[in-house]
Amino acid sequence: MSVIYLLITISIFVAIAFLIAFFMAVKSGQYDDDYTPSVRMLFDDETARTQSRNQKAKSVNQNTTTSSEKE
């Protein structure tokens, strides 16, 4: 039974050590993404496409309402 207490104690210390190592890595910038911003301009932006589609649809709707108002 004493072995279980020993193993639980050791595992708690190991878990705390890994948690501290993780926080140190995050704080030092280990997980910062330096690559993606440099290649982001190479890919199409989905929001820009949707906005341009919405603007085209609005202009078509305005043109149809203006032409129907003229008649």
Side-chain angles (χ1 to χ4, degrees), residues 13-49:
F13 283 124
V14 169
I16 290 172
F18 278 113
L19 188 65
I20 290 171
F22 172 73
F23 283 132
M24 287 175 60
V26 168
K27 191 172 186 175
S28 71
Q30 180 73 28
Y31 296 109
D32 289 346
D33 187 13
D34 295 332
Y35 178 70
T36 302
S38 63
V39 296
R40 186 176 294 148
M41 67 179 161
L42 300 175
F43 300 109
D44 289 336
D45 190 13
E46 187 65 33
T47 57
R49 275 196 261 164

Side-chain angles (χ1 to χ4, degrees), residues 1-10:
M1 194 67 174
S2 63
V3 174
I4 292 176
Y5 295 132
L6 179 67
L7 290 176
I8 290 174
T9 307
I10 291 173

